[in-house]
Amino acid sequence: MPTSFTVVPVEAQGEERQQDGRQREEEDEGDERDRGTGDGIARESSPFINCAELGRGNMYEGKNMALFEEEMDSNPMVSSLLNKLANYTNLTQGVVEHEADEDSKRKEVKGPRMGTFIGVYLPCLQNILGVILFLRLTWIVGTAGVLESFIIVFMCCACTMLTAISMSAIATNGVVPAGGSYYMISRSLGPEFGGAVGLCFYLGTTFAGAMYILGTIEILLTYISPSAAIFKVADVGEETEAMLNNMRVYGTCIVILMAIVVFVGVKYVNKLALVFLACVILSIIAIYAGVIKTAFDPPDFPICLLGNHTLSKRSFDVCAKFTESNNETKTTPLWRMFCDSSLLNATCDDYFSLNNVTEIQGIPGIMSGVLTDNLWSAYSEKGSIVEKKDQPSVAGSEESKMGGLPYVFTDITTYFTMLVGIYFPSVTGIMAGSNRSGDLKDAQKSIPTGTILAISTTSFIYLSCIVLFGACIEGVILRDKFGEAVNGNLVVGTLAWPSPWVIVIGSFFSTCGAGLQSLTGAPRLLQAIARDGIVPFIQIFGHGKANGEPTWALLLTVGICEIGILIASLDSVAPILSMFFLMCYMFVNLACAVQTLLRTPNWRPRFKYYHWTLSFLGMSLCLALMFICSWYYALIAMLIAGCIYKYIEYRGAEKEWGDGIRGLSLNAARYALLRVEDGPPHTKNWRPQLLVLLNLDNEQLVKHPRLLSFTSQLKAGKGLTIVGSVLQGIYLDKYTETQKAEENVKALMGVEKTKGFCQIVVSPHFRDGISYLIQSAGLGGMKHNTVLMAWPQSWKQAENRFSWKNFVDTVRETTSAQQALLVAKNIDLFPTNQERFTEGNIDVWWIVHDGGMLMLLPFLLRQHKVWRKCKMRIFTVAQMDDNSIQMKKDLQMFLYHLRLNAQVEVVEMFENDISAFTYEKTLMMEQRSQMLKQMQLSKNEREREAQLIHDKNTASRSAPAVEASVAAAVPEKVQMTWTKEKFVAEKHKNKDPNVSGFKDIFNMKPNQSNVRRMHTAVKLNGVVLNKSQHAQLVLLNMPGPPKNRKGDENYMEFLEVLTEGLDRVLLVRGSGREVITIYS
C-alpha cells in the first residue's frame, strides 16, 4: 500500500467539486426510477422540515457536513434553524385564529409582557371576588350558620384548588393560545369532549354575565336609588313580583347598553378592568377595617324586635309602641301598623298586644360573643318571619294575619344544597390567567403561581369573612337578605368603615365590570369554538368585523344573557351557571388524570406538584357538587353536553387533536382500531411504536437479547411493540422452526418484560422477509412507526446473511415508509433491566433536524429506572458563520418550551484542510471496495459453476460407473475464490473498448465527494469522542444512504468511522414528521 499522496487545498477543489456536483446530478437523474425505494419521498410539512427559506447553496457550502448534504433539503442543519425552533409556534396545530394572526404578529414589535402579579394574580382575583361576596355571603352565613357555611366555602374552594392544580399541569404542558379551558380540554380529550364542554363553558360564562347584571340592578334599586323602580308595590305581598319586573326591564336596558359598549370599544373595557378591580379591593379592605373598628367602637345600627320577630324599619322610625311627651302618651307609627286606630284602646294584632317591642344592636362587635349564637343553621320556609332565637316571645292566636305587617320575611325556602348552588359562582374565575397566556412573560411559571396564589387569597378572604361576619353581626341581620331591618342598607355595608357607601359603590362598579368582562369574553370563546369547525351549526358565529371582533357571537351571547335576565332572580340564575362551570372543571380534572395515567410522551408539565389522584378527587368533587346544588339542573346540563357530544360524533369530528380511547374487549378494540385508522396520530400522541428486528442463530435463539432489554426500557409498557424476525426458506418446510423461534422470542420477551407481539416471517430471501415485516406488521391504525435494529457488527464479512447490503436496503425502506429508524451499535454493551446507572450522561448530538425524535428518546429512556439517574446533555454543532452564543440561548429557550431539563452545549467545528489521515482512510476504503467488486464472479461464470455443482451432486447419487465418468468431466474442486488465473482472465476479458477498462487499484485516486464525507465522519467522531467518550449512551443523527447506490459499501464505512471509539451508540433517523411539540 503506497503511503505517498497529495492533499488538495480547499480552494483548489472548487473545480473538481463542480464536476463532482454535475456528475452527482446526472447520477441522480439516472437514478430517478430508484427513488421510490430510497429517498426523495414527500414528507409531512412542518415549520422546520422542508424549510424553503434556506438556500441550497448555503447548505452545501464547506466540507464539515458533507455526510448529511444529500438530505439537507428535507433535514436542514440545526444551526440554521435554532432561532425558529426557540420561537416555535407549530402553526399547524394551533387554534385557527392563532394561525391566522401568526404572520402579522411576527411582524409586530412585541410590547412589554406581563408578569405573574399583573397578568395572572390580579385578573383571577377580579374574576373570583364579586357579586356573591357583597350581596349573598352574609345571608348564607346567617342561614347556614358559621359551621355549615365554612363547610360550603371549603368544599367549593377545595374544588377550585384541585382544578387549578390540574389546570396548572395542563397549562404548563406547552403553550395555551386563546380559548383557555376550552382549548385545554379539546386538545387533551378530543373534539367531541372539547366541543361539548366548550359550549357548556360558554353558556356558563354567558349566564354569569346575566347574574352580574342582575346583581348590578339589585344594588341600584335596593340600596342606591329605590325610588327609581318602575313597577311600584300596589298591594301587600306584591313586593317580590314588582322587584322581578323591575329587574327584567332594567336588565334588558343594561344588557343592550353593555353590548353596545363591547361592540364599539372593547379596548376600553380592558382598560377599565383595573379600575373595577380597585373597587373590589377597596371594598374588602373597608370590610376588614370595619371588623377591627367593631372591637373598640361598634357602629350604631339598632334593630327593632317585636317579641322575637324582626321588624322592617323602612316604614317607621321609632322602635316603640308609644312615646311619653309632656306627661302625655302618644302612639307611634308602629302602633298604627298593628292597630286599627291611633287610640290607646284600639284593637291591635294579637301578637303585638302580647309581646314587647325591644331594640338591640345589629352589629354588637367582634368582642360581643355573638359568634356562639351564629354557629348553627336557621333554615326556613318561604314567607316565614326572620326570628331571633333566644328572645322571649308569646305566641298569638293563629288567626292573626301576617300580610301587611312590617315584619322581615324570607323570600325563598332555604336548605343546605340550595346554598351551595348559590355560593359556587363566587369561586369561579380561576381560568382568567390561562386565558391570557399569550400576553405573559413566562406563562409556564406565571399561570400555576398566579392562579394558586389567587385561589389561596380568595379562599382566605371568604373563610375569614364567614367567621368575622358570624362574630360581628347579629343573626337576624345576617338572615335579612335585603337589609330591611337596618333601614334598607346593604348588610355587609353596615359593617364597613368608614361608610356603608364604600361597599355599595364598590360592589356596584365591580358587578358592572364583571358583567362587561363576561360579555367580552363569552363571544370570543364562542368564536374560537366556531372557527375550529367542530360544531357545524355554529360556524356562522366564527365571523365578525374586519378587525376580528365577534359580532355574530356577541348577538347570540346577548340573546342568551337576556334569558337569564328574564328569569330575574339572582338566586335562580346562580345554580344554572354553577352547573356549567362545574362540568367544565370536572373535565379539566379528567383531562389531567387521563394524560397522567396514559403517560403520553408529550405529557411533560413544568408544574410538578400534581398527581392523578388529586385530579380524580377534584373530578369526583365537581360531580358531587353538581348533584348537591341541584340534581335536575345537573341532569339537564349533562344531557345538553351529551347531545352536543353525540352530534359532533355523528357529524364526524374531522379534527385530530390527540385524544385516545383504549378498548378492553374485542368490540371496543375493533371500534378503536377503526377510529384511529383515519390518519397518523397527532404530534402530542406520537410515541415510538416499535418494530424490533431480531437476528436468530441456527438454534432459533435470539443473538442479541439486550435489544429486547433496550426495547422495554424505551417503551415502559406503553404503546405498540412488535418483535419480528425472518427465517430463510419455504414456510411449508420451516413451519416447525417458525414455531420454535416464536416460542423462544416470546420466552425472552417475558424475561425482559417486553410487552408486545411476536411476528416471525419465512421468506426465500432474508432481504425480502425484512421488507415484508416493514410493510405489513401491525393492524389498521396500530402499526409501527419506528424500526429498531442492531448494527451488523460483521458487515465486512460477505457470508454474513445480514450483510451491509441488507442493512442499507432496510434503511432505505424505512425512509420510503416514512418510519423512523433506531440502530443500536455495540448492543451487547447496553444495560440489562436489572442494572442501574447511578450517574452519567445521555448525550444527544443534534446535527440536523428531522422531527425532534432525538429530544424525545432520552426523555422516554429516563422514565425507566435503569436510566433515571442519568442526566441529559444536548450538543449541537456551530459552523464558521454561526453565532454560537446566540445558538446556545436559542437552544435553551427551545428546551424550556419543550419542558425538557438538559444541559446545553454548542460545539464549534471550524473548517480546516482535509487531513492526510482522512485522505488515506478514504483511499483504503475505495481500494477495498474496488477489490471486492473485481473479485465478484461474472454472472455467466456463477451460473456455469452452479450447474457443475448440481451435476456433481446428481452424479454422486447415481451408479459408480456413471459417477466415475461424470467425475472425469467435472473438476474435483470448484474454485469459488480469487485465483491468479481468474485475475489474468478478467484482465484480458475487460480489454474490450466498450467495457470500462480494468482499474489499477494501486494507482487510483479517491473520489473527492467521498473524501469530503470521510472528512465529516472523522471530524465529527473526534468532536464526539472528546465530549462524550464516557457517556452512558450517545444519540446521534444517522446520515441517509447515498442516492447513488454504487456507494453503499462506502456508506457503511462512513458510519463505522463516525461512531468509532464509542461504547454505546444509538443512531437515530427521523421519519420526517414532527414528533415533539410545545403545545399542550
Side-chain angles (χ1 to χ4, degrees):
M1 186 73 65
T3 54
S4 59
F5 49 83
T6 308
V7 179
V8 183
V10 180
E11 291 79 6
Q13 293 173 15
E15 209 171 45
E16 291 178 352
R17 242 186 240 167
Q18 287 176 5
Q19 291 171 356
D20 284 339
R22 281 195 294 271
Q23 184 183 349
R24 277 202 305 277
E25 285 174 15
E26 288 166 11
E27 288 171 349
D28 289 350
E29 287 171 14
D31 237 16
E32 198 70 52
R33 62 185 179 277
D34 298 327
R35 291 271 176 91
T37 58
D39 299 270
I41 329 152
R43 302 197 177 180
E44 181 172 321
S45 62
S46 84
F48 320 124
I49 300 175
N50 297 328
C51 188
E53 292 175 26
L54 305 173
R56 192 177 179 92
N58 293 336
M59 290 191 289
Y60 289 1
E61 226 168 64
K63 316 170 286 291
N64 277 348
M65 292 300 140
L67 197 54
F68 298 91
E69 70 181 16
E70 282 192 341
E71 293 188 306
M72 280 194 188
D73 54 344
S74 57
N75 299 343
M77 285 290 298
V78 170
S79 58
S80 61
L81 282 183
L82 255 179
N83 188 256
K84 290 186 180 193
L85 290 167
N87 301 303
Y88 184 12
T89 54
N90 204 354
L91 300 181
T92 54
Q93 294 156 15
V95 287
V96 180
E97 72 223 62
H98 179 66
E99 298 165 18
D101 295 343
E102 195 63 34
D103 291 334
S104 58
K105 281 182 184 174
R106 279 182 186 161
K107 293 169 190 172
E108 292 171 10
V109 178
K110 296 258 181 184
R113 297 269 185 161
M114 293 186 288
T116 304
F117 187 73
I118 295 291
V120 180
Y121 181 74
L122 290 183
C124 284
L125 217 61
Q126 181 190 3
N127 279 264
I128 295 171
L129 298 170
V131 63
I132 301 294
L133 170 65
F134 301 119
L135 295 184
R136 293 291 182 270
L137 192 58
T138 51
W139 173 70
I140 289 171
V141 173
T143 305
V146 172
L147 292 179
E148 288 186 28
S149 300
F150 201 90
I151 292 169
I152 290 172
V153 173
F154 183 79
M155 274 199 311
C156 295
C157 290
C159 176
T160 53
M161 180 61 82
L162 291 169
T163 305
I165 290 170
S166 299
M167 186 197 74
S168 298
I170 297 172
T172 58
N173 188 50
V175 178
V176 181
S181 58
Y182 157 69
Y183 181 88
M184 288 189 280
I185 294 166
S186 63
R187 269 58 176 178
S188 298
L189 291 177
E192 292 92 349
F193 277 118
V197 180
L199 285 175
C200 283
F201 188 55
Y202 162 73
L203 291 172
T205 309
T206 306
F207 275 105
M211 184 188 75
Y212 291 130
I213 290 169
L214 292 173
T216 304
I217 303 161
E218 185 176 310
I219 294 167
L220 177 69
L221 295 182
T222 309
Y223 307 112
I224 296 178
S225 178
S227 60
I230 297 171
F231 295 89
K232 307 293 183 183
V233 181
D235 297 320
V236 176
E238 291 184 0
E239 296 90 345
T240 306
E241 190 60 38
M243 185 63 178
L244 292 180
N245 287 330
N246 284 320
M247 288 274 200
R248 291 179 182 115
V249 173
Y250 274 98
T252 304
C253 296
I254 289 179
V255 78
I256 292 169
L257 187 66
M258 284 186 173
I260 292 169
V261 171
V262 170
F263 179 76
V264 173
V266 70
K267 57 186 176 186
Y268 301 114
V269 176
N270 294 327
K271 285 179 181 176
L272 286 171
L274 282 176
V275 177
F276 298 138
L277 177 62
C279 293
V280 176
I281 293 171
L282 282 174
S283 302
I284 290 167
I285 292 170
I287 293 170
Y288 282 110
V291 168
I292 295 167
K293 183 174 176 291
T294 62
F296 53 86
D297 183 18
D300 183 28
F301 277 100
I303 309 167
C304 194
L305 297 175
L306 175 62
N308 66 353
H309 293 184
T310 311
L311 297 176
S312 170
K313 292 186 74 175
R314 286 181 185 269
S315 44
F316 65 90
D317 299 323
V318 180
C319 182
K321 291 184 180 180
F322 37 78
T323 57
E324 295 284 341
S325 175
N326 298 325
N327 293 324
E328 186 181 350
T329 304
K330 291 184 179 179
T331 57
T332 61
L334 181 62
W335 175 281
R336 290 190 285 277
M337 289 180 180
F338 284 92
C339 302
D340 56 4
S341 74
S342 58
L343 301 173
L344 291 172
N345 60 355
T347 305
C348 296
D349 178 79
D350 198 19
Y351 187 82
F352 182 77
S353 303
L354 295 172
N355 291 279
N356 294 323
V357 175
T358 55
E359 195 171 55
I360 61 170
Q361 274 300 326
I363 302 178
I366 198 168
M367 308 300 288
S368 63
V370 74
L371 178 64
T372 53
D373 298 332
N374 292 329
L375 281 177
W376 311 108
S377 61
Y379 299 117
S380 58
E381 295 291 326
K382 181 180 179 180
S384 58
I385 299 170
V386 176
E387 299 176 345
K388 183 170 169 56
K389 298 173 191 173
D390 54 355
Q391 193 74 9
S393 171
V394 178
S397 64
E398 294 180 6
E399 291 84 25
S400 61
K401 294 179 180 178
M402 298 291 185
L405 300 178
Y407 292 125
V408 177
F409 295 98
T410 55
D411 63 333
I412 54 173
T413 303
T414 52
Y415 43 92
F416 178 82
T417 56
M418 185 265 279
L419 294 181
V420 176
I422 291 175
Y423 173 75
F424 188 81
S426 65
V427 295
T428 60
I430 61 172
M431 303 288 183
S434 63
N435 289 343
R436 289 167 169 78
S437 62
D439 301 321
L440 299 174
K441 197 180 297 177
D442 186 354
Q444 297 188 358
K445 180 183 173 186
S446 295
I447 289 174
T449 311
T451 306
I452 290 171
L453 273 178
I455 292 173
S456 303
T457 306
T458 52
S459 300
F460 171 77
I461 289 170
Y462 283 131
L463 292 170
S464 62
C465 279
I466 284 170
V467 177
L468 295 175
F469 291 164
C472 294
I473 305 175
E474 185 60 55
V476 287
I477 298 292
L478 289 172
R479 289 189 290 282
D480 181 6
K481 188 188 284 187
F482 301 110
E484 292 179 24
V486 282
N487 301 322
N489 278 302
L490 182 60
V491 174
V492 71
T494 60
L495 183 63
W497 180 86
S499 165
W501 284 100
V502 175
I503 300 288
V504 172
I505 301 300
S507 60
F508 178 77
F509 280 114
S510 77
T511 48
C512 262
L516 277 171
Q517 292 281 5
S518 295
L519 286 181
T520 306
R524 277 159 181 72
L525 178 58
L526 181 63
Q527 188 181 43
I529 300 169
R531 285 187 172 179
D532 267 343
I534 55 171
V535 186
F537 68 83
I538 64 165
Q539 284 188 347
I540 187 174
F541 299 110
H543 306 299
K545 289 197 290 187
N547 61 356
E549 289 298 317
T551 312
W552 293 105
L554 179 62
L555 288 174
L556 180 67
T557 303
V558 170
I560 297 171
C561 197
E562 180 63 20
I563 295 171
I565 285 165
L566 292 176
I567 294 172
S569 170
L570 185 73
D571 302 321
S572 301
V573 173
I576 297 174
L577 64 105
S578 293
M579 289 304 116
F580 291 126
F581 278 120
L582 278 166
M583 183 170 288
C584 177
Y585 295 166
M586 181 175 76
F587 280 103
V588 169
N589 284 300
L590 175 64
C592 182
V594 166
Q595 296 276 34
T596 309
L597 289 171
L598 289 181
R599 294 166 78 182
T600 50
N602 189 61
W603 182 245
R604 303 182 301 276
R606 284 211 165 271
F607 180 77
K608 299 297 180 189
Y609 307 102
Y610 69 94
H611 195 267
W612 69 268
T613 51
L614 291 177
S615 300
F616 187 78
L617 181 63
M619 185 181 73
S620 306
L621 192 54
C622 288
L623 189 63
L625 282 173
M626 283 176 71
F627 283 93
I628 286 171
C629 292
S630 171
W631 64 268
Y632 48 89
Y633 276 164
L635 290 175
I636 291 168
M638 293 173 85
L639 182 66
I640 292 170
C643 289
I644 298 168
Y645 177 94
K646 295 307 290 182
Y647 174 75
I648 296 170
E649 189 181 52
Y650 169 72
R651 289 301 299 259
E654 295 175 3
K655 304 290 178 183
E656 210 293 294
W657 289 324
D659 56 309
I661 294 174
R662 292 187 68 186
L664 299 177
S665 64
L666 186 61
N667 284 338
R670 174 185 167 277
Y671 172 73
L673 279 171
L674 289 172
R675 276 176 65 93
V676 298
E677 199 173 5
D678 291 336
H682 189 273
T683 301
K684 292 181 306 178
N685 266 5
W686 196 96
R687 67 163 76 241
Q689 315 285 13
L690 291 181
L691 169 62
V692 186
L693 297 179
L694 293 179
N695 283 338
L696 304 178
D697 59 16
N698 294 331
E699 301 292 320
Q700 315 307 334
L701 297 172
V702 178
K703 279 188 179 178
H704 303 293
R706 298 284 177 95
L707 199 59
L708 285 181
S709 306
F710 183 69
T711 302
S712 60
Q713 291 158 23
L714 186 62
K715 298 293 290 177
K718 301 290 178 184
L720 174 71
T721 304
I722 301 171
V723 180
S725 189
V726 178
L727 295 180
Q728 198 162 357
I730 305 298
Y731 181 68
L732 293 174
D733 300 334
K734 292 281 186 178
Y735 178 74
T736 309
E737 287 92 330
T738 304
Q739 297 283 50
K740 184 181 177 183
E742 193 166 337
E743 287 172 12
N744 292 341
V745 171
K746 283 183 176 177
L748 186 61
M749 287 171 70
V751 171
E752 298 295 346
K753 298 179 180 175
T754 306
K755 297 177 182 177
F757 308 97
C758 176
Q759 191 165 352
I760 306 293
V761 170
V762 180
S763 171
H765 303 288
F766 188 75
R767 165 76 196 77
D768 293 339
I770 293 174
S771 179
Y772 301 156
L773 276 175
I774 290 172
Q775 291 176 62
S776 61
L779 176 65
M782 289 292 283
K783 288 184 71 69
H784 62 279
N785 55 30
T786 305
V787 176
L788 172 63
M789 60 196 295
W791 173 262
Q793 297 288 2
S794 53
W795 65 271
K796 294 183 181 179
Q797 299 174 13
E799 68 274 6
N800 179 24
R801 64 175 184 172
F802 196 72
S803 64
W804 56 267
K805 193 71 179 168
N806 290 342
F807 177 82
V808 178
D809 284 343
T810 303
V811 174
R812 284 199 174 97
E813 289 211 342
T814 55
T815 307
S816 287
Q818 295 189 27
Q819 294 170 7
L821 177 66
L822 309 178
V823 178
K825 194 160 186 276
N826 303 325
I827 185 63
D828 295 326
L829 299 178
F830 276 58
T832 62
N833 288 330
Q834 286 69 44
E835 292 180 47
R836 301 285 182 274
F837 288 130
T838 53
E839 57 181 2
N841 300 307
I842 299 176
D843 285 359
V844 175
W845 283 86
W846 194 24
I847 313 298
V848 294
H849 181 77
D850 57 357
M853 194 169 179
L854 277 170
M855 304 292 171
L856 195 61
L857 292 174
F859 170 78
L860 295 175
L861 280 175
R862 290 181 67 230
Q863 305 300 304
H864 196 274
K865 49 196 172 186
V866 173
W867 304 91
R868 191 163 291 153
K869 293 188 178 177
C870 292
K871 293 179 181 174
M872 183 174 165
R873 296 193 303 180
I874 295 183
F875 298 88
T876 192
V877 175
Q879 298 292 308
M880 180 77 77
D881 299 330
D882 296 327
N883 181 345
S884 55
I885 296 172
Q886 186 59 42
M887 277 179 67
K888 185 170 182 178
K889 285 181 184 175
D890 289 340
L891 185 51
Q892 285 170 333
M893 179 57 67
F894 180 50
L895 292 177
Y896 180 77
H897 284 324
L898 291 174
R899 295 91 62 203
L900 293 173
N901 296 315
Q903 183 183 332
V904 171
E905 193 168 334
V906 177
V907 178
E908 295 181 341
M909 203 166 107
F910 299 126
E911 288 196 19
N912 52 14
D913 290 343
I914 294 170
S915 66
F917 171 75
T918 303
Y919 202 86
E920 184 172 8
K921 201 163 184 70
T922 312
L923 186 63
M924 289 171 63
M925 175 187 74
E926 292 198 354
Q927 286 174 339
R928 177 182 172 278
S929 299
Q930 196 62 33
M931 288 174 70
L932 284 171
K933 285 177 183 175
Q934 291 176 0
M935 285 165 61
Q936 289 174 353
L937 299 173
S938 67
K939 185 179 178 184
N940 292 337
E941 191 172 355
R942 281 202 304 274
E943 288 175 358
R944 184 172 59 82
E945 294 200 12
Q947 185 63 42
L948 288 174
I949 294 167
H950 175 72
D951 293 345
K952 183 177 178 181
N953 290 339
T954 307
S956 64
R957 290 191 293 272
S958 61
V962 178
E963 182 182 340
S965 63
V966 175
V970 178
E972 290 183 5
K973 186 176 182 181
V974 178
Q975 294 289 342
M976 295 297 290
T977 57
W978 192 259
T979 62
K980 187 177 179 182
E981 290 79 6
K982 286 183 182 177
F983 182 86
V984 173
E986 186 72 22
K987 188 172 181 180
H988 288 301
K989 187 174 73 177
N990 285 338
K991 286 193 174 176
D992 187 345
N994 296 326
V995 181
S996 58
F998 178 75
K999 194 168 186 179
D1000 186 358
I1001 58 176
F1002 299 111
N1003 295 324
M1004 65 186 291
K1005 284 186 179 180
N1007 180 286
Q1008 288 299 318
S1009 177
N1010 285 341
V1011 171
R1012 290 166 59 235
R1013 284 174 166 79
M1014 184 63 79
H1015 179 70
T1016 301
V1018 170
K1019 283 210 72 176
L1020 262 180
N1021 177 254
V1023 171
V1024 174
L1025 271 179
N1026 182 38
K1027 298 284 184 182
S1028 305
Q1029 190 164 13
H1030 303 295
Q1032 303 292 10
L1033 178 64
V1034 176
L1035 285 88
L1036 194 63
N1037 279 118
M1038 181 177 180
K1043 293 182 179 178
N1044 179 11
R1045 294 176 177 237
K1046 294 176 184 175
D1048 283 1
E1049 65 276 18
N1050 297 340
Y1051 170 68
M1052 297 296 290
E1053 192 71 52
F1054 294 142
L1055 293 182
E1056 195 75 69
V1057 170
L1058 184 63
T1059 56
E1060 195 173 1
L1062 297 169
D1063 288 342
R1064 301 183 195 92
V1065 182
L1066 189 67
L1067 292 168
V1068 180
R1069 184 160 169 75
S1071 62
R1073 61 161 290 163
E1074 291 297 328
V1075 300
I1076 196 163
T1077 175
I1078 66 168
Y1079 281 103
S1080 67

